[in-house]
Amino acid sequence: MLLGGGGYAEHVVAPVALTLPVPDGLSSAEAAALPEALATVWSNLREADARAGETILVRGGSGGIGSIAVPLARLLGLRVVATAGGPQRVARVAALGADVVLDHRADDLADQVLAATDGRGVDVVLDVLGAGGLEDNVRVLATGGRLVVIGLQKGRRGTLDLGALMARRGRVIATTLRSRDPADKARIMAEVRERVWPFVLDGRLRPVLHATLPLDDARRAHELLESGEVFGKLVLLP
């Protein structure tokens, strides 16, 4: 389900239009890892007008959003370039279905992306870094490319080279999910049910669950997230 906040609770109330059923073959914890991530990825692919045959760069392919974005984008017919930190995480993101996975701890990332796309760049960037990734993100956009900012892990204020953006006829799109009004969220969830949920039901799309922790260990969960060790989603259990 999608909540406007207050999810650290034993019981919550949400409009039925913002919920999804627990599918056969998934535990309650696995199912809980899906709705917000799917709604986030789907709505932003729609915002970017991402189309089959285009190339998308998923910044942070091993994260809670990235680990869903990689396989979903592939299922929707996009070529996926993703980033991860270190050889082991690179290999795990590749196993999710990415066409190319780049180690952001290695050489200049923008150079890697351009090399992986024969100098063309990518049509869409799905970015969780914010200010810290702005320069590279604009640099790797193809002509007509769209940069979608959905996170601010590396800061909220940066310098945007408008000349570089104009030369690429690029667009910058910034979105949030939590603050949208209920009708907008209901629309997104209806699209997820129609266009994305079948991939879950037939087993082609699965959440990546790093661990489950009791609700009383919420602080520990945040410490794990800050450590950079988490691959996929953490779920708190009441």
Side-chain angles (χ1 to χ4, degrees), residues 20-28 30-31 34 197-207:
L20 292 167
V22 176
D24 294 338
L26 290 186
S27 67
S28 295
E30 289 173 317
L34 282 173
W197 206 239
F199 296 138
V200 177
L201 296 179
D202 69 14
R204 284 185 286 171
L205 187 60
R206 285 289 185 263

Side-chain angles (χ1 to χ4, degrees), residues 26-233:
L26 290 186
S27 67
S28 295
E30 289 173 317
L34 282 173
E36 188 159 358
L38 290 177
T40 297
V41 175
W42 171 257
S43 63
N44 284 290
L45 291 178
R46 293 276 284 165
E47 290 278 359
D49 192 26
R51 298 179 293 276
E54 291 190 320
T55 300
I56 185 171
L57 171 63
V58 178
R59 300 291 301 261
S62 62
I65 297 299
S67 60
I68 285 292
V70 167
L72 179 55
R74 286 286 289 119
L75 287 167
L76 294 173
L78 283 88
R79 180 173 185 257
V80 179
V81 179
T83 68
Q88 290 184 335
R89 296 173 83 86
V90 164
R92 292 188 67 183
V93 173
L96 294 176
D99 296 277
V100 178
V101 188
L102 306 173
D103 188 346
H104 65 74
R105 297 178 183 173
D107 298 329
D108 182 273
L109 181 63
D111 286 344
Q112 293 187 71
V113 173
L114 292 172
T117 57
D118 296 324
R120 176 183 177 275
V122 300
D123 301 289
V124 177
V125 178
L126 189 64
D127 176 66
V128 295
L129 300 180
L134 192 56
E135 183 178 351
D136 279 348
N137 288 337
V138 172
R139 185 178 162 200
V140 302
L141 286 179
T143 301
R146 291 85 74 195
L147 164 59
V148 187
V149 181
I150 64 170
L152 302 170
Q153 292 179 7
K154 297 295 184 180
R156 59 186 298 167
R157 296 181 183 274
T159 300
L160 177 61
D161 186 339
L162 292 173
L165 190 67
M166 292 168 68
R168 291 161 175 77
R169 300 198 300 276
R171 285 182 281 157
V172 178
I173 304 164
T175 73
T176 62
L177 183 62
R178 179 177 295 185
S179 62
R180 293 176 186 246
D181 64 61
D184 198 18
K185 290 181 180 179
R187 174 189 60 78
I188 291 169
M189 290 299 275
E191 292 179 358
V192 168
R193 285 190 199 93
E194 178 183 355
R195 300 291 301 277
V196 179
W197 206 239
F199 296 138
V200 177
L201 296 179
D202 69 14
R204 284 185 286 171
L205 187 60
R206 285 289 185 263
V208 179
L209 200 59
H210 180 86
T212 60
L213 295 171
L215 185 58
D216 290 343
D217 282 349
R219 180 174 180 175
R220 172 59 180 156
H222 281 267
E223 290 172 347
L224 281 172
L225 289 171
E226 292 170 3
S227 74
E229 298 174 5
V230 175
F231 191 101
K233 299 284 281 188

